[in-house]
Amino acid sequence: MSQTSRLGLAFLDVGQAAKEFTHNEALRIIDIVAAAAVENVGTNAPPASPIDGQCHIVGPAPTGVWAGHAKAIAGYAPGGWRFIAAVAGMSALDKASGQTAAYDGTAWSIGAIKGATLKLGASQVLGARGAAVANPTGGTVIDVEARAAITLILDRMRTHGLIA
């Protein structure tokens, strides 16, 4: 039986008997990954009493019925667990933290947003990190309060990752 290359959804074959089983299983997989929302990320043991529709991102060392499905999205439905192997670009809402978990082809990360720039409307708000800026020193007239304020601004910019 042939299937899709990314999610492994089975195609209906010509002359296939009981096509509804293949089609219904594909719908279950789509239900798990489309607008995915998981109870938690990185759990290695399945819950003792899973509920229909609950999904989890399996941890790196799964046990029990999850063994052999590290990093997959596990969704529970009638008949048992369905496992969808993680592929680069996959994402899911982590209900526990309220943040997005994203898979980069190697690992899941939670809450990290990647991009080259951030724009609000047509205005760029953030871009690539700028070079390091030294705290003020020297000068012929030293304004201690101004120097402290400038140093505080630079520290905040470093804390937020805007400058090195």
Side-chain angles (χ1 to χ4, degrees), residues 5-29:
S5 57
R6 288 180 41 94
L7 296 178
L9 302 172
F11 288 121
L12 297 177
D13 291 327
V14 175
Q16 175 182 343
K19 292 180 181 182
E20 67 276 9
F21 294 114
T22 302
H23 178 73
N24 290 345
E25 190 60 25
L27 290 176
R28 288 209 186 278
I29 292 170

Side-chain angles (χ1 to χ4, degrees), residues 86-154:
V87 294
M90 192 177 271
S91 64
L93 171 67
D94 174 19
K95 292 179 183 179
S97 70
Q99 298 178 7
T100 299
Y103 190 72
D104 65 5
T106 304
W108 287 95
S109 61
I110 302 171
I113 299 172
K114 296 180 181 182
T117 62
L118 173 63
K119 292 183 178 183
L120 296 177
S123 301
Q124 181 175 323
V125 178
L126 295 174
R129 177 186 283 185
V133 178
N135 288 339
T137 61
T140 56
V141 176
I142 298 174
D143 184 332
V144 175
E145 290 177 4
R147 186 172 285 176
I150 292 168
T151 299
L152 183 61
I153 291 168
L154 292 172

Side-chain angles (χ1 to χ4, degrees), residues 62-79:
T63 61
V65 296
W66 286 5
H69 298 285
K71 303 178 188 175
I73 295 181
Y76 190 78

